[in-house]
Amino acid sequence: MQEDYPNREEEKGLIQRFEDQLNQKGFSFFDVTELEVIIQFYLDRLKYGKALKACRLAIDQYPFSQEISLLMAQCYIGKEDYEEAMRVIENAQNIHPNDVDLNTVKGTLYSFMGDYDKAVEILYSTLEHAEDKSEVYYNIGLTYQTNSKFREAIDVYKKAIEANINHESALYELAYCLDVLGELEGSVEYYQQFIDKDPYSSYAWYNLGIVYNKLEKYEEAVKAYDFALVINDTFSSAHFNLGNSYMALEKYPEALEAYKNTLTNEGPSAETNCCIGTAYERLEQYELAIKYYRKAAKADQFYEDAWYGVGCCLAHQEKYFEAIHFFNKALKLDPENGNYWQAVAEAEFKTGNVISAAESYQEAVFLEPNNLDLWLDWSFIYYEQGDMERSIDLIDKGLEESPDASELLYRMTVYQINAGRYKEAFTYLENALILDFENHEVLYEFFPKLETQKALFKIIEQYRKQD
């Protein structure tokens, strides 16, 4: 609907008029299309309260609008008020009894409410009236998938693809379900049959690329995407996924070219600009990376990865105070992201804010207790301060989560030696050597004195001979 308002200033003016009316600063008449734009604006920004206010105004003026009813249901779904969303849909169905979109949302609501059998029954009932049966099959597949019935989901996703080979979402979810069941490798033939039927189908090659990408066969994925683009060089999704495969191969210049081709064919988006920023970051071209991360954030201020990317680039440039500001912007949008907490912790430590760093590490390990780097880096704070007891305590907690992590055992060896507990240190060292002998070299980083290194080397060599 936003295509009716391509001019951002025009949309901004429309939202301002609505905000003024909410604040009783004036009265405006809005036609149904304008109200749809206003509601969608708030929905996109997860502002369900204001979206609902716009919905109520719209439903009063246009009570027979099926589109307004759908948007109102989306608002209640966003608020997880499924019963109220169901009431809105059922009221709308009294006016539009055979509407496929209303019935689809109703089926989805039953799925959200845990009544998967009812959801499937309703969705199947819409097939008779549906112009696009592939979309109905796709929604049925999602319902089965949500209920962990992956075999049934696979069968229905295949029906969606048979109805529309270009249904990207069905193909993607099919690959996911096959992957869950460990059958993705064997499904290559299934995707290949579409190419055999039509070798000049760009979508067939594109879908094969997705499968190879999921199988982490990135070279094969690149070849498949290339074939898709030879057939249709304006295929923006193929350009984008080609970029992803090149990123996985660490071929960053090629990834950049693919992402920029996506921009050319699809227009700017937060996701694509963020990917370009990431490619420049990997190439250590930090100013260009920041430029594109900022473009991503401008396109969508709620795109937290963009703010995180800016912070990472500033941290690479040792501008830690500035980096913290952007990491916190990302955290505000996604406070349960362990990577963001880790980034804040590292930057705080670099600025000498030890207390803030420790607090951030604590948040991070709560979210990702199996992330070994968190325990290593958090304990290192106290190691630098000479507080071996706290360092040892943290590694001990890390080992409770990951008892077979040689990295933690080697680090515990370091801390025990520094605490003067040589017997305990030897026990941890022996266990570490059993798990990963080659990793013992990390010890030498903590003991630069040659005599200490020689003593450690002698112990390690004794273990090698015993082994």
Side-chain angles (χ1 to χ4, degrees), residues 178-196:
L178 289 164
D179 198 14
V180 168
L181 296 180
E183 298 176 7
L184 192 56
E185 185 83 49
S187 74
V188 171
E189 289 183 12
Y190 172 77
Y191 287 89
Q192 186 69 48
Q193 73 180 3
F194 293 107
I195 294 170
D196 295 340

Side-chain angles (χ1 to χ4, degrees), residues 105-124:
V105 174
K106 188 174 185 178
T108 303
L109 278 167
Y110 275 114
S111 180
F112 286 148
M113 295 163 78
D115 192 343
Y116 301 109
D117 291 339
K118 185 69 173 176
V120 169
E121 178 189 337
I122 287 173
L123 289 167
Y124 267 118

Side-chain angles (χ1 to χ4, degrees), residues 386-401:
D387 190 344
M388 292 307 128
E389 292 304 319
R390 294 184 78 172
S391 296
I392 288 168
D393 181 57
L394 284 171
I395 295 298
D396 199 40
K397 288 177 181 176
L399 284 167
E400 288 176 13
E401 300 291 342

